[in-house]
Amino acid sequence: MTTIEVAGQRYHVVRQDRSLLLIGVEARLDEISVQLPEGWKPVGGEPDEYVWAMDQVAQFRVRLRSGEHLALDADLVELGGEARRLEPIVLRVRAGERPPVQWLAGAAGEVVVGHDDGPVLLSQRRGICSHTADDDGIALFGDPMLVWPGQTLSSSWRVEPWPPGRWPPEPAWVPVERYQRWGEPVVVDQADAAVVAPEGVTVRQLHATTELVPTVGLHSVQLRSAPGTVTFEVGAYDDIASLLEPSRLPATSSDVAVWLGTWQVFHQVPGAPSVDELDRLLGEALEEPSLWGILAGIQALVATDLPVEHDVRSAAAVLARESPASEALPMLALFGLTRGRGIIALDEIVATTQLRLGGAWEALAGSDDSWPRLAAGVEYGRISSRPPRCSARDVAMADLWLASRPDSAVHVELGEVSRRARARLMCQLSVEPDPLELAWLLVGHELW
């Protein structure tokens, strides 16, 4: 075992029979590993160089470089003189509970791992990568790994910790607005590259740019240029009023339904309940106080003339008394503060409990330093080759935080990543309606 320290991050390095482990000692990543499939055996190597061989087939080597940032350089040499299809060699990172944000797209690869002290960016500097079939691993030379006679494959990855309160920008060529309202184009500013799109995306080639007009949903597009082929995602979504149409929504719980109903009335959606019907549904929902029923009452005060303020206050008081640790309380307080004219006071709710609480309490009712976790929660709004892993609840949390802190130093940055995450989820919901996810997105809709 040896130790390597780069950029204030220290790792123990351990080579095993079919893996190389970098175990974080004083580092934001718990572990970085390179894992080989069966058939590979360790052989000799130079300092900071680790070599494995598969008899009469190939040799694989990893070098660790410790300049300004830690780098892992890998190469694989075919030795057998024939084309082969091999099981992938996999790079993995482990840190905390939240999965990394992965964009493993062929000639481009980036992984962002969230951490309270600042995110860590792993970026492919050379090579071809892809997802593995079964987990969050990075297939260094693709999965499956195709090797031709006498071929040498090469891959290089850099590990870069970012300062607290910041996160890495996306590559400059990646379209910022990848998820658009249906009918609006996504603009790709790459004059020297060819765009190859699936059937659901119309391609319009202009003089120096390419416009992509996707149908509703999420679509994977290829960009082919001299450095290689890169895949990235674009999408289109329906507007809120269309998503709220009752005929599109599956059945849901009564309190979620009444929350959606207040917005259907607000947006004059065809099939929305009448004001009298909404009044009846609200009355039933507030008899058994819940997050969605009380939110619906606050929204009704904004969207209608229904005299429900007393019932809303009473329901909130009952919820605070009977469930003082409920995460609904700080959410209701901030929503009420920013949209409902302070109908539910945050300080009164906080005073009802002496418990040490985490989750929404810590993020929304705690210090102003909780925003890095909220940014990580919405996956930094970053490009990804995985389906969305953040939820609409994560977006709602960020939106509530922003609405309650309009003068925060990170208002623009956090607002931008939350907006991107929202747009991506809207694309998904436009194809696969989910009443609960839509309900969470509406918590932050028009809030700040």
Side-chain angles (χ1 to χ4, degrees):
M1 183 177 71
T2 61
T3 300
I4 185 170
E5 183 170 351
V6 186
Q9 309 289 293
R10 188 155 62 97
Y11 298 91
H12 289 328
V13 183
V14 180
R15 181 166 76 167
Q16 299 178 337
D17 286 347
R18 288 189 288 112
S19 66
L20 180 67
L21 303 180
L22 281 72
I23 303 169
V25 182
E26 296 174 358
R28 298 178 198 174
L29 299 180
D30 297 330
E31 184 179 282
I32 306 171
S33 66
V34 179
Q35 300 177 356
L36 291 83
E38 292 185 7
W40 292 91
K41 297 179 180 179
V43 296
E46 302 297 326
D48 296 330
E49 178 180 278
Y50 305 86
V51 184
W52 290 262
M54 183 181 290
D55 290 345
Q56 305 301 314
V57 174
Q59 184 181 80
F60 174 69
R61 176 174 55 187
V62 176
R63 292 189 185 95
L64 300 179
R65 291 191 291 110
S66 54
E68 181 181 359
H69 299 290
L70 173 64
L72 290 82
D73 293 342
D75 58 67
L76 183 144
V77 180
E78 195 281 329
L79 301 175
E82 62 180 85
R84 298 180 185 274
R85 181 187 179 103
L86 302 176
E87 291 296 311
I89 296 173
V90 179
L91 174 67
R92 290 188 172 91
V93 295
R94 183 169 60 83
E97 299 178 357
R98 186 172 289 277
V101 184
Q102 295 180 315
W103 180 45
L104 307 179
E110 293 189 351
V111 177
V112 176
V113 183
H115 193 278
D116 287 351
D117 292 335
V120 179
L121 171 68
L122 286 80
S123 55
Q124 178 180 260
R125 317 305 287 181
R126 182 178 68 254
I128 298 293
C129 66
S130 74
H131 290 280
T132 54
D134 57 351
D135 62 11
D136 285 329
I138 304 163
L140 287 179
F141 308 112
D143 182 7
M145 187 165 60
L146 304 177
V147 185
W148 301 96
Q151 183 183 29
T152 298
L153 302 177
S154 179
S155 178
S156 179
W157 284 77
R158 185 172 73 180
V159 182
E160 182 180 358
W162 273 68
R166 296 180 57 197
W167 50 82
E170 294 177 341
W173 67 266
V174 173
V176 174
E177 303 296 343
R178 296 183 293 277
Y179 310 107
Q180 299 278 39
R181 189 187 301 271
W182 180 78
E184 296 181 3
V186 176
V187 179
V188 181
D189 189 8
Q190 278 286 88
D192 298 328
V195 176
V196 179
E199 184 176 346
V201 179
T202 300
V203 180
R204 298 197 297 239
Q205 188 66 53
L206 304 181
H207 176 65
T209 61
T210 302
E211 289 188 348
L212 308 176
V213 185
T215 54
V216 166
L218 297 170
H219 309 273
S220 182
V221 173
Q222 287 188 344
L223 187 71
R224 298 179 179 176
S225 63
T229 299
V230 177
T231 60
F232 64 99
E233 185 183 73
V234 299
Y237 56 86
D238 290 324
D239 59 29
I240 283 288
S242 178
L243 286 176
L244 282 167
E245 291 179 8
S247 60
R248 296 185 61 173
L249 295 175
T252 186
S253 63
S254 58
D255 56 346
V256 171
V258 72
W259 163 245
L260 297 177
T262 61
W263 286 92
Q264 290 165 349
V265 170
F266 183 64
H267 285 285
Q268 300 180 337
V269 175
S274 67
V275 175
D276 288 343
E277 177 68 6
L278 182 63
D279 189 20
R280 183 185 66 79
L281 294 172
L282 270 174
E284 294 175 355
L286 293 175
E287 287 179 1
E288 297 183 8
S290 68
L291 170 67
W292 301 113
I294 299 172
L295 281 174
I298 297 172
Q299 178 64 14
L301 291 171
V302 177
T304 73
D305 295 325
L306 291 174
V308 295
E309 181 168 344
H310 173 75
D311 293 338
V312 171
R313 288 185 182 276
S314 298
V318 170
L319 185 63
R321 183 174 63 253
E322 296 182 351
S323 303
S326 171
E327 287 195 330
L329 297 177
M331 296 180 188
L332 288 169
L334 294 188
F335 186 85
L337 175 68
T338 55
R339 188 151 181 88
R341 302 184 300 276
I343 189 171
I344 303 171
L346 179 61
D347 55 351
E348 293 177 6
I349 288 178
V350 172
T352 66
T353 180
Q354 301 299 317
L355 301 176
R356 297 176 63 84
L357 302 171
W361 279 95
E362 185 177 357
L364 301 178
S367 73
D368 289 349
D369 296 332
S370 56
W371 64 267
R373 273 162 286 170
L374 297 175
V378 295
E379 299 186 299
Y380 302 102
R382 287 184 66 86
I383 187 169
S384 174
S385 46
R386 288 283 193 191
R389 288 178 165 181
C390 73
S391 67
R393 181 185 184 278
D394 293 316
V395 174
M397 292 275 285
D399 288 344
L400 285 169
W401 191 95
L402 286 162
S404 64
R405 296 163 174 86
D407 298 323
S408 66
V410 295
H411 202 274
V412 173
E413 292 85 353
L414 181 57
E416 178 65 13
V417 300
S418 176
R419 183 185 63 80
R420 291 187 198 177
R422 168 189 294 275
R424 192 179 189 214
L425 289 174
M426 290 274 287
C427 295
Q428 189 176 61
L429 288 173
S430 295
V431 176
E432 303 172 6
D434 183 315
L436 184 57
E437 286 290 283
L438 179 57
W440 278 116
L441 282 188
L442 287 169
V443 171
H445 186 64
E446 300 179 353
L447 199 57
W448 51 275

